[in-house]
Amino acid sequence: NLGPAHHDNGAKAIPGVGADHSGTVDRFFSSIRVPASFLASTSFSQIFGIAINGDDTPVQRQLQILCLLCQGLAFILSMNVVFLSSSALVRSLSNNYDPYAESGYDFLFREFHFEFVCVQWSFQVSLFGFLLAVTAKILYAFELFDFQGENYDRNRLELGIGVCLCMGSLMIHLFSYVNSTLVGWNNLFDMTRDLMNILVKRGADGDKRLEPLSLVVALVGLVFVTLALIPGEQI
């Protein structure tokens, strides 16, 4: 682990110590921007391919809503990755930083702390959202959990359970791998808490006071997302 100094971004650069890692900015942000762009374009196209059918059973409608919300989550966070990565690359052109550090990770954590943390978190969460959306789309398209549908039979239910288990296995594997390879946090939840703290601290800056507003709006949005997933006539 990088230790507490890295969590509060308090590590100070010692001029001339370590190797020059200025090229790390381009390698990291350029490489992560490519798959993020793919996720953003794919999620965007899938969002408009989802149409609520009035004849669908309640289970089918819930699967469609889940797919729509997860695709929306993947699109929003992927666009965040693309935007912040591009901004970080532009900011790196200023050379207003010390490129020397013991490792490329230390350099990005110290000099591009917000972009580095936010881009990592957004890409990882967007991928999980995309996988959830794919799972819901499969269950809906093949009516695997449509208990009240005309085509319901035990084979479809077993196939649906198999799909959920396989996709769940992949997501658990990825989640476990992410947790085991994070440097500076114990798991993705710690990283999430750290990112929230960063956003709140940025809000104290006179030039970044919209950050807390963005966070509040996101939290309110999550409340409505939760309501949308509750069966019934709440919305």
Side-chain angles (χ1 to χ4, degrees):
N1 287 345
L2 291 176
H6 286 75
H7 280 291
D8 60 11
N9 199 24
K12 302 298 182 181
I14 302 176
V17 174
D20 184 345
H21 290 284
S22 55
T24 305
V25 179
D26 181 67
R27 290 194 298 271
F28 174 76
F29 289 107
S30 295
S31 62
I32 201 170
R33 191 170 55 173
V34 174
S37 299
F38 169 77
L39 276 179
S41 60
T42 303
S43 300
F44 182 78
S45 63
Q46 288 299 313
I47 288 173
F48 291 96
I50 299 173
I52 303 297
N53 189 341
D55 297 329
D56 284 335
T57 62
V59 173
Q60 289 290 88
R61 284 197 294 271
Q62 291 302 115
L63 288 173
Q64 277 196 312
I65 292 173
L66 178 61
C67 182
L68 176 62
L69 295 177
C70 289
Q71 292 287 15
L73 176 67
F75 173 74
I76 291 171
L77 293 180
S78 297
M79 287 303 300
N80 189 47
V81 172
V82 173
F83 181 84
L84 288 181
S85 296
S86 300
S87 298
L89 290 171
V90 172
R91 188 161 76 85
S92 69
L93 299 177
S94 68
N95 291 325
N96 187 25
Y97 53 81
D98 181 1
Y100 293 95
E102 293 183 359
S103 68
Y105 198 103
D106 285 339
F107 166 69
L108 290 175
F109 214 118
R110 186 190 70 221
E111 302 292 345
F112 293 83
H113 185 69
F114 172 70
E115 293 88 348
F116 186 50
V117 176
C118 194
V119 162
Q120 280 194 91
W121 183 88
S122 296
F123 179 72
Q124 290 161 2
V125 176
S126 69
L127 181 59
F128 285 113
F130 182 76
L131 292 176
L132 281 172
V134 169
T135 304
K137 184 71 172 181
I138 293 173
L139 296 177
Y140 172 81
F142 296 98
E143 301 179 354
L144 300 182
F145 280 172
D146 191 11
F147 304 106
Q148 300 174 346
E150 297 178 356
N151 298 322
Y152 170 74
D153 58 46
R154 182 174 179 179
N155 290 336
R156 287 176 181 268
L157 175 61
E158 292 174 345
L159 181 58
I161 294 174
V163 169
C164 289
L165 291 175
C166 290
M167 295 299 289
S169 174
L170 173 61
M171 286 184 277
I172 292 172
H173 162 68
L174 294 177
F175 186 74
S176 175
Y177 179 78
V178 167
N179 288 340
S180 65
T181 56
L182 284 176
V183 179
W185 304 276
N186 294 323
N187 50 58
L188 192 57
F189 297 113
D190 283 347
M191 188 180 190
T192 303
R193 183 172 60 252
D194 191 25
L195 178 59
M196 295 302 105
N197 290 333
I198 293 172
L199 292 175
V200 171
K201 289 180 180 178
R202 282 170 62 86
D205 190 325
D207 297 331
K208 306 180 182 68
R209 288 181 178 172
L210 288 179
E211 292 286 6
L213 176 61
S214 172
L215 188 58
V216 170
V217 171
L219 292 175
V220 174
L222 287 176
V223 172
F224 280 93
V225 166
T226 303
L227 291 175
L229 293 175
I230 299 176
E233 302 297 331
Q234 287 84 354
I235 295 183

